[in-house]
Amino acid sequence: MKLTGKVIVVTGGAHGIGAAMLRRFHRDEPRALVVADRDLPAAEALAKELGGLAVACDVSRERDIIALVERATKEYGAIDLFVSNAGIAVGGGVDVPDDEWRRIIDINVMAHVWAARAVLPAMVARGSGYLLATASAAGLLSMVGSAPYSVTKHAAVALAEWIAITYGDKGIKVSCLCPLYVNTDLLKGALNDAAGASIKASGEVIEPAKVADAVVDAIDAERFLILPHPEVATYFQRKAGDYDRWLAGMRKLHAVK
């Protein structure tokens, strides 16, 4: 899919990977860019820079996502590309309190469900539309030190797969973004605390702009899996090829965390 002339919505769009994607999309001259974020002042600043629309949106609430889709559609017409990008990280294991589990599940999983629920009917009716879910390499592999992040990112990948399988013959395109380590506030916070040894052992920390370039290339090719860190494909193949050996390697990382 070409982005020129398209209506694009990005959640978590005011910072990090979301902001980088919007800036990169802008270069391809879309018809409209919608910056959705719970940080409305930052969203408004970016929207002003790009000539887009800022919408306050807390993706942990389905009603906010419904309102976002309704606002974007009212302003610009049919949404061509919806990027469900907002996400959080929580460090810790199964002992993480239930309210934190519920919060990360709502943001990292249910927000993708609610977004699909909001945009798919219109997309299917017209026979075209694109969904892009920001997951993580943790959704293909795992995250040492964070059970909530690992579990929810696996779920995000699984949902994107299911939508691609179920709606792919109805004109719906789906991509799933699975980067390793990216220089964002997310990495500097809970993920950095959880990931320590993994970051040192498993790959380069890249800039959000590089992720955005990979996203545009994948959309152009209508490719499902977006891997800004190519080595993730190798790790994923090794995991599938010998699960027990892969688990042993991950335990070694955990031991030096």
Side-chain angles (χ1 to χ4, degrees), residues 144-146 193-198 252-257:
V144 171
S146 179
D193 295 337
S198 299
K252 289 179 181 177
L253 278 179
H254 180 265
V256 299
K257 182 176 74 70

Side-chain angles (χ1 to χ4, degrees), residues 30-99:
R31 186 161 73 85
L33 290 173
V34 179
V35 187
D37 204 288
R38 65 179 182 174
D39 183 352
L40 184 57
E44 289 175 333
L46 183 58
K48 183 177 180 180
E49 173 190 332
L50 302 178
L53 172 69
V55 178
C57 182
D58 181 346
V59 300
S60 70
R61 300 185 297 212
E62 183 177 14
R63 63 182 179 271
D64 277 26
I65 295 175
I66 292 171
L68 166 64
V69 171
E70 290 176 346
R71 176 77 185 282
T73 303
K74 180 180 179 181
E75 293 284 341
Y76 302 116
I79 297 170
D80 297 293
L81 170 61
F82 191 100
V83 183
S84 188
N85 170 74
I88 63 169
V90 174
V94 295
D95 55 328
V96 169
D98 285 358
D99 59 344

Side-chain angles (χ1 to χ4, degrees), residues 1-10 21-22 24-35 50-53 72-73 75-83 123 126-131 171 173 216 219-220 222:
M1 186 180 85
K2 303 299 181 184
L3 299 178
T4 304
K6 298 299 191 295
V7 175
I8 304 171
V9 178
V10 180
M21 283 193 280
L22 283 158
R24 177 60 186 84
F25 295 161
H26 183 256
R27 285 163 44 190
D28 285 2
E29 300 182 347
R31 186 161 73 85
L33 290 173
V34 179
V35 187
L50 302 178
L53 172 69
T73 303
E75 293 284 341
Y76 302 116
I79 297 170
D80 297 293
L81 170 61
F82 191 100
V83 183
M123 289 181 173
R126 68 176 184 268
S128 67
Y130 210 121
L131 293 175
K173 307 299 181 183
V216 171
I219 291 172
D220 184 64
E222 297 182 349

Side-chain angles (χ1 to χ4, degrees), residues 111-156:
H112 297 301
V113 175
W114 295 327
R117 188 182 291 168
V119 301
L120 276 173
M123 289 181 173
V124 171
R126 68 176 184 268
S128 67
Y130 210 121
L131 293 175
L132 192 156
T134 298
S136 166
L140 301 172
L141 304 169
S142 191
M143 172 59 68
V144 171
S146 179
Y149 192 76
S150 299
V151 169
T152 56
K153 291 303 185 178
H154 271 73

